[in-house]
Amino acid sequence: MHYDYIIVGQGIAGTMLSNALLKHHKKILVVDQSFSSTSLAIGGGMYSPIIFKRFTKAWMVDKLLPQLIRDYTELEQLLNIHFLDKKDILRIFASEQEKKLWQNKCIEEAYWNYLYDEIVEDYSPLIHAPYGYGRVKNAGSVNLHLLLNAFRNYLKLKKLLREERLNYEEIIFEDGEVKWKGVSAKKIIFCEGYYALNNNPFFNDLPFVLAKGELLKAHPLPHTNWLKSPLDFCPPKGREQRQHEIKLPEDYIISSGVNISPIGNDEFIIGSTYSWDDLSFTPTEKGKEELLSKLKKVLNVDIEVTSQFSGIRPTVKDRRPLMGLHPQNASIGIFNGMGTKGVMLAPYFAEHFTNHLLNNADLLPEVYAFRHVKENNKK
Ligand SMILES: Cc1cc2nc3c(=O)[nH]c(=O)nc-3n(C[C@H](O)[C@H](O)[C@H](O)COP(=O)(O)OP(=O)(O)OC[C@H]3O[C@@H](n4cnc5c(N)ncnc54)[C@H](O)[C@@H]3O)c2cc1C
């Protein structure tokens, strides 16, 4: 069987690249051993147009967001599922100074699409926010479990998926084609996430700085409050003083030292940690403690942790994705380096890279996988 492209890996990068190529009527075969813990770790992968450190706009967000909405909405229709949850973020201000910084950003026209200038003073008695909140619009989350599983089933139905590990030594390059286990293709594109580092012999010199992350799935325990009505202070004879239960609301994603993302049914994803030393795949007690102690500063309610996840982010030194064809062998390509922002970067750059593959359109120099090699050669 002959294909246009073999795509190795079906995380968010491989999924969006496959989708873009299929939309251009290319014949593809996807090879994926099983989902990595990284994809699975983020049931609700957040996207935010704002970087909270200094309230600056995320890189290229004006272009990334419209493509994100377009592609995920189209995929929801194609796969007949709902995985895109558009939801504003409430950022808890850490100080008056931070609030002032926010208010200054709100004046700039470039931020009007992303920040509400009204400060939210009160949201829930269960959240500690003495300086109030800033509200970010055009944010949300994508349920990667749902999306990746549904796209996998779609590929299976169309007989476009091989569920196995691709071993590099089984690849043969012959007559300008790639051959692997009885199939051939014009090109093979690796979308392997962190697996690429130290494993993929064709791309063993890429500037990855992998970062492990952990997160928790949890639900707040019921919290009761005395109802403060005159009757409660002076209840009629025989009438019990009334209580009412307050719930942590699910209207917004809450952001402070941790992000608290509602995923429905009173459940929240609490994330996430960053570790550059421990790159083991397993969740740790240390990670859990770190998240819980940050959470304690924000929530006035006890929570029950129902599960803990960890994964490894394919982060790059300069925080930009990596894509392109191999300078010595144009039959091999890479689409990787989505780092901490796979949900937001993958749709736009899948289209960008597809345009490069099909029409030879220029890649942005910032995302060309061999940008660092070029720099070294210049010296
Ligand atoms: C704790 C945590 C929280 C995160 N939160 C967010 C968030 O809120 N928002 C956000 O946008 N991003 C978030 N991220 C980052 C996001 O998970 C990554 O950007 C994204 O998963 C990268 O996708 P990928 O497809 O490149 O790699 P992966 O998700 O790792 O997928 C790679 C796939 O390739 C397969 N594979 C690899 N090698 C082979 C081979 N040789 N043969 C066959 N199959 C192979 C793997 O099995 C896997 O299925 C988070 C990450 C972590 C760890």
Side-chain angles (χ1 to χ4, degrees), residues 8-14 31-36 38-39 41-42 44-47 144 148 152 164-168 190-196 211-215 272-273 309-314 335-344:
V8 186
Q10 196 234 320
I12 189 65
V31 186
D32 189 287
Q33 52 187 347
S34 63
F35 291 130
S36 78
T38 307
S39 312
I42 52 166
M46 250 179 77
Y47 60 91
L144 280 189
L148 299 187
R152 197 176 194 87
E164 59 184 289
R165 178 166 187 81
L166 182 135
N167 294 315
Y168 310 103
F190 291 96
C191 311
E192 301 169 285
Y194 69 89
Y195 284 88
K212 177 174 177 174
E214 299 191 44
L215 43 79
S272 49
T273 61
F309 300 92
S310 66
I312 301 183
R313 307 173 180 94
F335 186 62
N336 203 325
M338 300 294 141
T340 58
K341 293 195 171 63
V343 166
M344 196 153 86

Side-chain angles (χ1 to χ4, degrees), residues 12 39-47 72 76 79 81-86 140-151 217 262-264 269 343:
I12 189 65
S39 312
L40 294 181
I42 52 166
M46 250 179 77
Y47 60 91
Y72 290 143
E76 281 191 327
L79 303 170
I81 50 164
H82 173 61
F83 60 80
L84 173 64
D85 189 13
K86 295 176 198 162
S141 69
V142 166
N143 187 328
L144 280 189
H145 285 259
L146 276 180
L147 165 58
L148 299 187
N149 275 309
F151 195 75
K217 204 188 251 184
I263 52 168
I269 299 247
V343 166

